[in-house]
Amino acid sequence: MAKKQRLTGPQRRAQLLEVGRELFASRGYEATAIEEVAAQAGVSKPIVYEHFGAKEGLYAAIVEQEMDALVQRMSDAIAQGTPRERFEGAVLAFLSYAKEEPAGFAVLTRDSPTSSARRGLTRVIDDLAQRVGDIFQAEFSRAGFNAKVAPVYANALVGMVTQVGVWWAAEGRPISLEHVAKHVAALGWMGLRHLPREPAALGARPKGKTKG
């Protein structure tokens, strides 16, 4: 019988990340035990601790890995093209991640350690909004709008897309990915397309109008 090949340090770490990702995705953080991770990886608990310190360390590494993958997709999507093409591309990139990486998406959207300062999805929204906000600021300045409010719209639109992604995954993908992306992109883009330079206060009457 051939001797089982021993994994290198990086290979073992990658294996533990993959095993942990699947367990956290299916069970959630609290219900996943390091013993299960070690057993499925075919190693002892001390090996897991050696690489990640504790369960929270393993979870944090997995969240970071998934965030990097998602942010890279979004960054690629908004790297070139017209503003509308960039926005539509970002919507499709996010929803494609939810479809193609269901375990990773589940880790980002399920429960997290109670000691964690921010949930995984919140961190994703923050990172994506920052990148999208940079583009918005440039476009706002070019169009003569107040660039300081660009982060408001960036966070609003990224939040909308991520929430739709959560709903779409939770409902078992009731509508095709392309159909969802098309409608979300249309909603977001039409709002931006007709954005006033200075929105009026809620309930305010347009100038020149009298009470009828």
Side-chain angles (χ1 to χ4, degrees), residues 104-189:
F105 188 71
V107 169
L108 293 179
T109 55
R110 290 199 60 161
D111 62 302
S112 60
T114 54
S115 60
S116 178
R118 295 186 299 168
R119 290 191 61 196
L121 186 59
T122 302
R123 292 186 62 193
V124 170
I125 293 174
D126 287 349
D127 286 351
L128 293 179
Q130 177 63 52
R131 294 168 187 257
V132 174
D134 291 341
I135 292 176
F136 275 29
Q137 286 184 323
E139 293 299 326
F140 272 38
S141 295
R142 185 186 63 79
F145 289 88
N146 181 4
K148 291 183 178 180
V149 302
V152 175
Y153 294 94
N155 278 276
L157 289 171
V158 171
M160 176 181 69
V161 175
T162 52
Q163 185 57 44
V164 170
V166 172
W167 163 82
W168 184 69
E171 292 296 317
R173 305 173 184 177
I175 309 172
S176 73
L177 172 72
E178 294 73 20
H179 203 57
V180 173
K182 180 176 67 174
H183 282 278
V184 173
L187 174 62
W189 180 253

Side-chain angles (χ1 to χ4, degrees), residues 7-183:
L7 298 181
T8 65
Q11 289 173 332
R12 179 65 71 193
R13 179 181 175 85
Q15 180 206 28
L16 292 172
L17 286 171
E18 183 58 32
V19 170
R21 184 176 80 147
E22 294 299 323
L23 286 172
F24 286 133
S26 61
R27 297 170 180 261
Y29 177 82
E30 297 298 338
T32 299
I34 283 294
E35 289 84 353
E36 293 178 281
V37 176
Q40 290 202 19
V43 300
S44 62
K45 285 199 300 181
I47 295 295
V48 182
Y49 293 138
E50 178 183 332
H51 283 276
F52 301 101
K55 184 172 77 167
E56 187 169 345
L58 173 61
Y59 175 84
I62 293 169
V63 168
E64 200 67 32
Q65 174 182 267
E66 295 307 313
M67 284 203 318
D68 286 346
L70 177 53
V71 169
Q72 186 60 56
R73 284 181 182 236
M74 299 286 284
S75 297
D76 291 343
I78 62 179
Q80 58 184 358
T82 65
R84 179 168 185 170
E85 288 171 341
R86 292 183 183 190
F87 181 70
E88 291 179 346
V91 172
L92 186 58
F94 184 92
L95 294 178
S96 294
Y97 169 82
K99 177 182 179 180
E100 297 166 9
E101 301 292 343
F105 188 71
V107 169
L108 293 179
T109 55
R110 290 199 60 161
D111 62 302
S112 60
T114 54
S115 60
S116 178
R118 295 186 299 168
R119 290 191 61 196
L121 186 59
T122 302
R123 292 186 62 193
V124 170
I125 293 174
D126 287 349
D127 286 351
L128 293 179
Q130 177 63 52
R131 294 168 187 257
V132 174
D134 291 341
I135 292 176
F136 275 29
Q137 286 184 323
E139 293 299 326
F140 272 38
S141 295
R142 185 186 63 79
F145 289 88
N146 181 4
K148 291 183 178 180
V149 302
V152 175
Y153 294 94
N155 278 276
L157 289 171
V158 171
M160 176 181 69
V161 175
T162 52
Q163 185 57 44
V164 170
V166 172
W167 163 82
W168 184 69
E171 292 296 317
R173 305 173 184 177
I175 309 172
S176 73
L177 172 72
E178 294 73 20
H179 203 57
V180 173
K182 180 176 67 174
H183 282 278

